[in-house]
Amino acid sequence: MRTINLIVVHCSATQGNRMLSPEALDLMHRRRGFNGTGYHYYIRKDGTVHLTRPVERIGAHVKGFNANSIGICYEGGLDCRGRPADTRTPEQRAALRLLVHQLQAKFPGCRVCGHRDLSPDRNGNGEIEPEEWIKACPCFEVKEESFQEQPSI
């Protein structure tokens, strides 16, 4: 088993009023040259969690960090006009909390962050600020989520 020290949260960049099935996500990634979906988990709007890549396989979700990370993607991330927005449903929020908790139990000490939080620190102040983000993904502040608490579902 590979060493896991990072859990990275992503969004599918799907408008909140549209659906993106796990099969469609897989096809999108294959068209980009990946060998299947690059994320390990995909959370649908109804809170259903799909294993889209075995955790044992290195992901294809965040350049430079794939070897030791697990990628989780939620369906959504754009408002109905295509602008970045936290479109997570209550079911997605609960499923994400539970999944992260389970992964932290399996891989203790993992850091949890959003894709944008791995952007380069261009001004060198030790903090990744909005003007430094390469992309807005996952369109919410992961560090403000309470992933350390026991989720209640």
Side-chain angles (χ1 to χ4, degrees):
M1 183 63 173
R2 61 194 182 99
T3 301
I4 303 296
N5 57 23
L6 185 63
I7 298 169
V8 185
V9 181
H10 302 264
C11 67
S12 65
T14 307
Q15 290 184 358
N17 58 350
R18 299 212 173 126
M19 306 288 265
L20 182 68
S21 70
E23 297 79 17
L25 178 65
D26 185 73
L27 182 59
M28 285 173 46
H29 281 211
R30 287 181 187 280
R31 285 182 175 158
R32 291 177 57 198
F34 300 151
N35 183 14
T37 302
Y39 312 112
H40 296 92
Y41 295 94
Y42 185 53
I43 304 174
R44 299 295 309 268
K45 291 179 184 180
D46 67 359
T48 303
V49 177
H50 295 267
L51 177 65
T52 49
R53 178 182 285 255
V55 172
E56 297 79 25
R57 278 184 58 205
I58 293 174
H61 58 96
V62 60
K63 188 177 181 178
F65 295 90
N66 289 314
N68 299 103
S69 67
I70 293 174
I72 302 171
C73 179
Y74 75 92
E75 180 182 15
L78 300 178
D79 67 17
C80 61
R81 293 189 176 113
R83 296 177 301 209
D86 184 358
T87 62
R88 292 175 299 153
T89 64
E91 295 84 2
Q92 284 176 309
R93 291 172 188 267
L96 178 61
R97 274 194 313 272
L98 180 59
L99 178 57
V100 168
H101 176 75
Q102 290 169 338
L103 291 170
Q104 287 175 321
K106 187 172 182 175
F107 305 103
C110 277
R111 174 182 168 215
V112 182
C113 68
H115 187 178
R116 68 188 187 190
D117 300 319
L118 298 173
S119 299
D121 180 12
R122 295 199 171 122
N123 65 8
N125 70 351
E127 186 177 334
I128 309 301
E129 297 150 318
E131 60 273 10
E132 296 173 308
W133 295 341
I134 292 176
K135 52 176 63 179
C137 174
C139 304
F140 71 95
E141 283 293 337
V142 172
K143 65 185 174 189
E144 292 177 5
E145 297 289 314
S146 55
F147 290 125
Q148 303 306 321
E149 298 174 11
Q150 176 70 32
S152 57
I153 292 184

